[in-house]
Amino acid sequence: MPGELERIAQIDDPYELLRAATERLAEAQQEVTELARLRRRLIQELHAQGMSYAQIAQAAGLSRGRIHQIRHTGPAPEGAFLGSGEVTVVTPLRPDPASDRTYVALDDLKTGQRLEDLARTFDLTVNSDHVGLDGGIDLNRAGLLVICGPRMSPAMQDAYDKDPVLEWERDEAGWLLRDTRTGAEYRSGQEDDPPRDYDVGYLGRLPRPDGNGSILAIAGIHPEGSLGVVHLLTTDIGSLWGQVGNDRFSVVVGTEYTPDTHEPVRTELLTPIYRHDEAAT
C-alpha cells in the first residue's frame, strides 16, 4: 500500500482513523481534479502549438481516442485562473448603525456568491471569509479571492500599492483609478452631473505580503463595479486565462448596470491587461 494509506490504516483509534481517512480522501480528490485539469490543459496547449491529436497520442503513448476523451472531459483549464484545489472568497463586513451587529452588504453578498458559484463550476472547493470591521484580513493564505477595496482595509491598500501600473486615489470628488502609464483617470458615473448608471472596478493578481504566492483582488469604486468585474469573469474567463495564466496582472473594468437591480448589462476593459512582470522591466 502507498505510505500515506498504510499510515492511516494503522491508526488504532476508530474516530481518529475516520477523521484521517476523510481528510486524506478530500485531499486525494483535489489532487485528481487538478491533475485532470493539468492534463486537459497540456493537450490544448500542444494542439495550439500545431500538433495533431494523433501526434500527441503517439508521443504520449496513448490512443487517439483517449486523447479526444481527455480533451472533452474533466475540469476546464481556465478554472486555474481562480486557483487550484481550494479557494476562499473574501467579502467585507460592515457595521450596522442601528445595532452592535455586523453584516455583509447585499451587493457584496451577491458578488461573493456569484464568484463562489463560478469557482464551483470549475470543480474547485470553495470556502468563504470576511474582512473584519477594522479592515483586518490574513492575506498570507493560498487561494484567496478578495472582494474589497482600499477604503475598507489597510491590508488591501498595502496590496494594491504593489501594483506597478494602476493606482487607487481619492480626491474631493471621490475615489478613482489612475493608469500611471497613460495618466488616464477612471471614475464612477455615480459622481457625474447628472449621475450615470456606470461604475469602474479593478481586477488583478497581486503578491501576498509574505511573497509566497498571490491573491486575486476585485474592487469597485462602488459595489456595482465589483459585481461588474465578476460578471466579466463569468463571461470571459477563458480569454483572461489565455492572456495572463497564473501571472500577476491588473486591468480596469467599466460596467454599465440597470438602476433598479444594479445588474451589469455591459462590461468593458478600460485599460490594457497589464502583466506585472513586463511592467517591472
Side-chain angles (χ1 to χ4, degrees):
M1 291 188 294
E4 185 66 6
L5 176 58
E6 185 175 7
R7 181 192 67 79
I8 293 173
Q10 291 176 352
I11 296 175
D12 292 330
D13 185 311
Y15 303 107
E16 177 65 18
L17 173 59
L18 179 59
R19 183 193 63 79
T22 301
E23 290 179 353
R24 179 57 191 140
L25 182 60
E27 293 171 356
Q29 288 172 337
Q30 286 187 356
E31 291 174 4
V32 168
T33 297
E34 292 309 315
L35 286 170
R37 193 190 316 278
L38 175 61
R39 188 174 59 173
R40 185 174 173 183
R41 189 187 83 196
L42 287 171
I43 290 174
Q44 290 185 0
E45 289 177 349
L46 290 170
H47 184 63
Q49 292 169 12
M51 293 185 68
S52 68
Y53 294 120
Q55 290 171 325
I56 296 170
Q58 182 177 12
L62 299 170
S63 70
R64 184 174 178 179
R66 183 65 174 137
I67 292 296
H68 277 282
Q69 182 185 38
I70 293 170
R71 174 174 169 252
H72 293 291
T73 59
E78 57 265 30
F81 182 89
L82 300 176
S84 64
E86 187 172 347
V87 298
T88 301
V89 175
V90 180
T91 51
L93 289 175
R94 301 174 187 265
D96 183 353
S99 69
D100 294 331
R101 298 181 179 180
T102 60
Y103 71 100
V104 178
L106 181 60
D107 284 333
D108 291 336
L109 181 64
K110 184 189 299 185
T111 302
Q113 287 179 338
R114 290 187 182 176
L115 188 56
E116 291 180 11
D117 291 343
L118 176 63
R120 290 190 181 97
T121 65
F122 295 113
D123 293 339
L124 294 167
T125 300
V126 181
N127 302 308
S128 61
D129 195 6
H130 300 293
V131 177
L133 290 180
D134 61 354
I137 177 69
D138 177 13
L139 297 177
N140 293 324
R141 293 177 284 166
L144 287 185
L145 314 177
V146 185
I147 304 168
C148 182
R151 180 178 69 86
M152 300 289 293
S153 170
M156 285 305 297
Q157 175 69 75
D158 290 343
Y160 287 118
D161 286 345
K162 301 296 192 301
D163 189 315
V165 183
L166 302 177
E167 293 181 350
W168 285 94
E169 295 183 10
R170 188 174 188 177
D171 59 19
E172 65 281 356
W175 284 92
L176 63 107
L177 278 160
R178 182 186 301 277
D179 183 334
T180 62
R181 285 282 183 86
T182 65
E185 297 179 355
Y186 301 96
R187 298 176 182 267
S188 172
Q190 295 184 30
E191 277 74 64
D192 288 352
D193 186 16
R196 294 185 298 135
D197 300 319
Y198 188 85
D199 201 33
V200 170
Y202 175 103
L203 171 64
R205 188 175 291 119
L206 302 169
R208 284 169 28 178
D210 63 4
N212 296 323
S214 303
I215 61 174
L216 190 71
I218 295 170
I221 292 180
H222 299 286
E224 293 87 349
S226 299
L227 191 59
V229 171
V230 173
H231 178 77
L232 175 75
L233 287 174
T234 60
T235 57
D236 210 23
I237 193 171
S239 175
L240 291 167
W241 163 251
Q243 294 180 71
V244 301
N246 293 123
D247 295 333
R248 292 169 184 164
F249 76 97
S250 56
V251 64
V252 179
V253 179
T255 301
E256 182 182 340
Y257 58 88
T258 57
D260 50 346
T261 66
H262 299 180
E263 284 293 324
V265 295
R266 183 177 65 87
T267 58
E268 58 182 338
L269 299 184
L270 300 179
T271 68
I273 298 175
Y274 289 116
R275 295 173 60 105
H276 292 176
D277 55 350
E278 297 174 354
T281 58

